[in-house]
Amino acid sequence: MVMDFFKQLTKLFSNIFGKKKEIRLGVYGYPNSGKTTLANRICQDWLGETMGKASKIPHETRTIQQKEKITVKSKNKKLTFNLIDTPGIATKIDYEDFIKKGLKKQEAQTRAKEATKGVIEAIKWLDNMDAVMVVMDATKDPYSQVNITIIGNLVARNIPVLLVANKIDLRRADIKKIEAAFPQYPIVGVSAEYGDNIEEFYEALFKLLR
Ligand SMILES: Nc1nc2c(ncn2[C@@H]2O[C@H](COP(=O)(O)OP(=O)(O)O)[C@@H](O)[C@H]2O)c(=O)[nH]1
Ligand SMILES: [Mg+2]
C-alpha cells in the first residue's frame, strides 16, 4: 500500500518535473555542402540506418527529413535528440542549372519548383529548432549571402549554432577562412563522407547541446 503510494508519487513528480522536451537539432546550409551526408553519418553511427539520399546534383533534399530519438554516447556522457535534415538554402534557383547537370527540361523544372518550396520550408522550420549545425563546404568561399543570412537568423532567435566545415578530406579545404569569416561561433572540421575528425565533431555536439 505504502509502496504503491510512493510509486504513484514518484511518477507524478517525474511527469511534472522530469519530462524533458525533445531536442530538435537542425542541419542547415548551402546546397551540396554535405548536410545529408553528415546526417547519414550520424544516423549510421548511432541508429545503424541512413537518413536520405545524397547527390552531386544540388537540391536532392527538397523536403524536411526527420529522424527521432538519436542517442549519442561518449565516455560518461549521453544525449538524445531529433535530427532534422533540411533542403539547401539558395538565393537563386534556375532550372537551366539542372539541365546543365544532365536533367531533362521537365525534370529540371519540377526540381526547381520543389527546391524553391524547400527553401521556404527550411526557413519556416528555423523557429522550431533548439540548436543548429550550419554545414559549409570548406573548399568554397564561406562569406556567402546564404551563410550570413542563416547565421544571422539563428542569432536573432537565440538558437545555438555550430559551424561544420565539411569536406576537409579535399586538399583545397580551408577551415581558417571560415574561422575568419565567422569568428564568434564554435567550429569543427570534418569529412562527412570519410569520417575524418568525427570524434571531435561529436564532442562539439555535446558542447552545443549541453
Ligand atoms: N569529398 C567530399 N565530398 C563530400 C563530403 N560530404 C559530402 N560530399 C559530397 O558532396 C555532394 C553533396 O552532398 P549532400 O550530402 O547531398 O549535400 P546536401 O545538399 O548539403 O545535403 C555529394 O556528391 C557528396 O558525396 C565530404 O566530406 N568530402
Ligand atoms: Mg541534402
Side-chain angles (χ1 to χ4, degrees), residues 142-157:
Y143 211 71
S144 71
Q145 205 179 342
V146 167
N147 288 338
I148 295 163
T149 308
I150 300 172
I151 293 167
N153 262 288
L154 291 167
V155 172
R157 289 172 161 87

Side-chain angles (χ1 to χ4, degrees), residues 25-29 33-36 38-39 42 51 83-88 122 129 131-135 164:
L25 174 62
V27 189
Y28 276 78
S33 58
K35 296 177 294 299
T36 303
L38 181 66
I42 298 169
M51 178 134 193
L83 186 65
I84 295 135
D85 185 21
T86 67
M129 301 299 168
V132 165
M133 304 187 275
V134 178
V135 181
V164 181

